[in-house]
Amino acid sequence: MRRRLWCVIVAALCLPGASLRAQEALRPYAVTGDAITAALTGQAGDAMRGRAIVANRQLGLCLLCHSGPFPEERFQGNLAPSLAGAGSRWSEGQLRLRIVDAGRLNPDTIMPPYYRIQGLDRVARGLVGKPILSAEQIEDVVAFLATLKE
């Protein structure tokens, strides 16, 4: 129930920035163990763009639940692990799977799937059939999180 409610909350919060959402078809990927080892786009993302996505409260919404090394951002979340040191704790592939669909690792997670469109309940009408982030945006976030070393 918490997961379904969270999808509704995230979908509602995403609406103001819906024009920024990807209109692309989902790119195929393979899960190996606890990771998606290959980049969704076939190339590395841009860490600076990834930081902007993570800090953006209309697009990534990461700071709604996570805290991290963002001294300029007020009201960071405390429901999920801090993003500080994420690049030390997880590989790029592990980070990628957690962003694409954390539910594959923990079915009870409240983290929304940023690159899954099937099997979701009560999705905002403007987001039906669309991922929260594009493949390029996922790679940008992965590139940024990988830089966060302890």
Side-chain angles (χ1 to χ4, degrees), residues 57-110:
R57 294 183 187 274
Q58 304 255 316
L59 182 59
L61 298 168
C62 304
L63 299 183
L64 191 67
C65 295
H66 296 276
S67 62
F70 308 95
E72 74 281 7
E73 294 295 330
R74 297 177 58 199
F75 308 114
Q76 296 182 32
N78 61 5
L79 296 174
S82 171
L83 298 177
S88 296
R89 291 191 300 274
W90 298 294
S91 69
E92 287 186 14
Q94 291 170 317
L95 290 166
R96 189 173 293 111
L97 179 56
R98 282 161 172 75
I99 299 163
V100 165
D101 188 3
R104 294 198 55 156
L105 298 168
N106 176 5
D108 294 325
T109 186
I110 61 170

Side-chain angles (χ1 to χ4, degrees), residues 2-128:
R2 281 179 33 183
R3 184 169 146 196
R4 289 182 180 155
L5 177 60
W6 185 245
C7 287
V8 171
I9 292 168
V10 168
L13 290 171
C14 287
L15 284 177
S19 63
L20 302 174
R21 301 296 177 265
Q23 300 294 323
E24 70 179 36
L26 294 183
R27 297 180 190 194
Y29 59 86
V31 176
T32 305
D34 67 344
I36 299 172
T37 56
L40 300 176
T41 60
Q43 58 189 24
D46 179 276
M48 292 302 290
R49 286 193 312 250
R51 186 186 194 287
I53 291 167
V54 169
N56 186 312
R57 294 183 187 274
Q58 304 255 316
L59 182 59
L61 298 168
C62 304
L63 299 183
L64 191 67
C65 295
H66 296 276
S67 62
F70 308 95
E72 74 281 7
E73 294 295 330
R74 297 177 58 199
F75 308 114
Q76 296 182 32
N78 61 5
L79 296 174
S82 171
L83 298 177
S88 296
R89 291 191 300 274
W90 298 294
S91 69
E92 287 186 14
Q94 291 170 317
L95 290 166
R96 189 173 293 111
L97 179 56
R98 282 161 172 75
I99 299 163
V100 165
D101 188 3
R104 294 198 55 156
L105 298 168
N106 176 5
D108 294 325
T109 186
I110 61 170
M111 184 162 164
Y114 281 82
Y115 200 70
R116 177 168 60 96
I117 59 174
Q118 301 297 324
L120 304 174
D121 296 329
R122 296 177 275 177
V123 176
R125 195 171 291 144
L127 289 176
V128 172

